Amino acid sequence: MATFRAVLRLARDYVRRAPGTFVWLAILLVTTYAVQHFSPEFQTRFLERRSTNIHNLWRTPLRVLLGSALYLDGGSWLLYFVLYNLFHVPAERWLGTWRWLGVAAISHIGATYISEGLLLVGIRFGYVPPSSVNVKDIGVSYALAGVQGVLTYRIPRPWRQLYGFCVLVFYGLALVHGRGFTDIGHFTAVLIGLACLPVARWQQERHAAVHET
């Protein structure tokens, strides 16, 4: 019994140190369960209304930018549970909930607008069909890619360069082989995360100051 209580205490402390990540995972669990029980036709319409495509970004940008980050498009919740624990949890503990959330939000929004903007350019010049304004773009992967990028600054040298190189190669190869607007979005999100160096540097300086006192 004592061992069980100790395990529960450890699990509770683990969750408390990254509350934003686990609230987000809980929301995704509920929404994923709900969407899976919709009829195929209603599921398609439901997700299309929350998609950050060109049409929706023009009409209801705030609603779809928030809504698209609360649903998974065909991905396994358990997979994202693992990925969130590998990347979001350490990032939130390191940066703090609000700065971590800021990096995730900037990556999500920035990558969405850049990828959809390039898609719009492609439509205007005839490289992609006009129907692409309604293409489905939903999920949490841009935010995840951005957090993976900023975590580069959390890793000590010389492993920092190796980690950053691997992240860029992973998303860079996907961009080269896929060449889709979501591949552009993921690579852009990583670059946005890497551009959040001032946030990481501020946190490192603050951490050093605390230890000096």
Side-chain angles (χ1 to χ4, degrees):
M1 190 65 177
T3 302
F4 180 70
R5 288 178 178 175
V7 171
L8 284 180
R9 191 180 305 113
L10 288 173
R12 180 190 62 192
D13 293 342
Y14 179 80
V15 171
R16 282 182 174 179
R17 291 179 63 192
T21 297
F22 287 99
V23 168
W24 198 353
L25 277 171
I27 293 172
L28 290 175
L29 178 62
V30 173
T31 57
T32 300
Y33 178 83
V35 169
Q36 287 176 347
H37 287 76
F38 294 158
S39 67
E41 296 80 9
F42 183 74
Q43 182 183 118
T44 300
R45 293 197 304 271
F46 183 85
L47 292 178
E48 283 178 349
R49 290 189 61 191
R50 286 149 183 83
S51 172
T52 50
N53 55 42
I54 296 170
H55 175 75
N56 288 341
L57 284 172
W58 180 260
R59 296 187 61 190
T60 56
L62 295 178
R63 180 175 66 82
V64 295
L65 284 168
L66 176 61
S68 65
L70 302 179
Y71 295 88
L72 301 178
D73 186 17
S76 167
W77 182 87
L78 287 176
L79 172 62
Y80 279 97
F81 178 83
V82 173
L83 293 174
Y84 271 47
N85 278 273
L86 286 175
F87 299 106
H88 280 301
V89 167
E92 184 178 1
R93 289 179 175 179
W94 170 46
L95 296 173
T97 298
W98 290 110
R99 285 180 291 277
W100 156 78
L101 187 60
V103 172
I106 291 170
S107 302
H108 173 63
I109 296 170
T112 295
Y113 272 102
I114 290 174
S115 60
E116 294 293 340
L118 290 175
L119 184 62
L120 180 60
V121 171
I123 294 172
R124 291 284 175 87
F125 286 91
Y127 295 113
V128 291
S131 60
S132 297
V133 297
N134 293 310
V135 69
K136 188 166 64 172
D137 184 15
I138 195 166
V140 298
S141 55
Y142 291 168
L144 178 62
V147 168
Q148 288 172 327
V150 77
L151 269 178
T152 302
Y153 306 114
R154 178 57 171 162
I155 298 174
R157 302 175 189 274
W159 304 109
R160 175 180 301 178
Q161 288 79 1
L162 177 61
Y163 169 85
F165 175 76
C166 289
V167 171
L168 286 172
V169 168
F170 177 80
Y171 286 105
L173 287 176
L175 175 60
V176 170
H177 291 290
R179 299 181 184 178
F181 75 96
T182 56
D183 300 307
I184 295 172
H186 289 130
F187 193 77
T188 301
V190 171
L191 296 181
I192 292 172
L194 290 171
C196 290
L197 174 60
V199 178
R201 184 172 290 165
W202 182 89
Q203 181 63 19
Q204 290 169 341
E205 292 174 353
R206 178 175 175 270
H207 182 75
V210 169
H211 279 273
E212 287 178 1
T213 57

